[in-house]
Amino acid sequence: MYSYDEPVYLISVVAKILEIHPQTLRQYEKEGLIEPGRTEGKMRLYSQHDIDKIKAILRLTRDLGVNRAGVDIILRLKERLDELDQINEDLRASASKSNSVAIKQSSYEMIIFKGK
């Protein structure tokens, strides 16, 4: 089985799964919203992580009316929050090793997949 981040899906497969045109995926890449992997022959390969990110982009643009510039900001903020959550978790784990109590708590909750 492939890992969540391993690029294995061709652009045509992703387009079919998500019911979008392959050009949409190329446009998202051009705008820096996604970064698919590449084969040695320069073919785009998408991971499950990429597919989930594209689903989030589609949810934000289609269902919530966010423009692509807004999507870019939201995705960058989410990535930064993920980084900060990991740092926080690491600090709490370190503190718990020194007999402190650690409670895992996320700094945000994404609801963009709710509904469909």
Side-chain angles (χ1 to χ4, degrees):
M1 207 61 182
Y2 298 105
S3 75
Y4 183 66
D5 292 314
E6 188 173 351
V8 294
Y9 301 100
L10 294 171
I11 191 169
S12 59
V13 174
V14 175
K16 188 169 187 170
I17 289 170
L18 299 176
E19 299 178 349
I20 59 177
H21 197 280
Q23 190 61 38
T24 303
L25 296 169
R26 291 183 193 100
Q27 186 66 33
Y28 288 169
E29 181 182 6
K30 183 178 178 182
E31 293 175 5
L33 297 176
I34 57 173
E35 293 181 39
R38 298 280 182 156
T39 65
E40 289 181 20
K42 303 295 181 194
M43 291 177 56
R44 292 172 178 86
L45 289 178
Y46 296 84
S47 66
Q48 186 59 50
H49 179 261
D50 294 327
I51 292 172
D52 289 344
K53 190 172 182 179
I54 296 163
K55 285 179 184 178
I57 293 167
L58 292 172
R59 174 82 166 117
L60 288 167
T61 56
R62 289 180 178 171
D63 300 339
L64 300 177
V66 178
N67 66 25
R68 290 205 185 128
V71 169
D72 185 46
I73 292 168
I74 290 167
L75 293 176
R76 288 177 195 266
L77 286 172
K78 182 190 176 305
E79 288 173 8
R80 183 64 181 138
L81 284 172
D82 289 343
E83 291 170 9
L84 292 172
D85 282 343
Q86 185 60 51
I87 291 168
N88 211 4
E89 188 176 318
D90 293 346
L91 289 171
R92 288 179 182 188
S94 176
S96 74
K97 288 180 183 176
S98 63
N99 296 326
S100 299
V101 176
I103 301 171
K104 184 178 184 325
Q105 184 176 5
S106 179
S107 61
Y108 68 96
E109 183 174 341
M110 293 294 291
I111 59 168
I112 59 176
F113 290 114
K114 190 174 181 180
K116 284 193 173 184

